[in-house]
Amino acid sequence: DEFNRIDAEVLSVIAQQILQIQTAIKSRLHFFDFEGTSNLPLKWTCNCFITMNPGYAGRAELPDNLKALFRTVAMMVPDYAMIAEIKLYSYGY
C-alpha cells in the first residue's frame, strides 16, 4: 500500500523478492527457497497488488524493474446518475 512513499532502494529489493515469488509460481513449485528460508510452501493463488495515491505532492515514480512485474489499472469515481438512468431504462421507465 502506498508504494509511491517508499524509498527507491527498498522498492528495488521488493521487486527482486516479487520476481522470485512469481518465478516460483510460473514453475508450478509447491515449495521454494525464499530469502534464506528453504522449503517455504507456496500457494499458486496468492496475489500481490500495489496501490498508489496520485494526489500526494511528494509522490515518486516506481522503478522500472517493479513496474514490469505488474499491470496498470486506473480507477475512477463511478457516475451514479448515469448508472441509475440506465437501470431505470432497463426496468422500462
Side-chain angles (χ1 to χ4, degrees), residues 3-4 11 50 52 60-67 70:
F3 265 57
N4 53 329
L11 289 176
I50 293 177
M52 296 177 65
E61 286 293 317
L62 292 178
D64 289 336
N65 62 344
L66 188 58
K67 273 188 202 177
F70 293 92

Side-chain angles (χ1 to χ4, degrees), residues 28-93:
R28 297 286 193 190
L29 299 176
H30 294 280
F31 296 92
F32 74 114
D33 297 336
F34 182 75
E35 296 287 316
T37 304
S38 59
N39 292 329
L40 188 68
L42 178 65
K43 295 188 181 225
W44 296 342
T45 57
C46 71
N47 290 294
C48 183
F49 300 94
I50 293 177
T51 60
M52 296 177 65
N53 187 343
Y56 285 135
R59 180 180 107 119
E61 286 293 317
L62 292 178
D64 289 336
N65 62 344
L66 188 58
K67 273 188 202 177
L69 300 174
F70 293 92
R71 294 183 186 145
T72 302
V73 177
M75 299 180 75
M76 53 193 291
V77 177
D79 185 350
Y80 293 113
M82 182 185 292
I83 293 170
E85 183 180 347
I86 292 169
K87 286 183 87 169
L88 288 171
Y89 279 134
S90 70
Y91 293 135
Y93 291 100

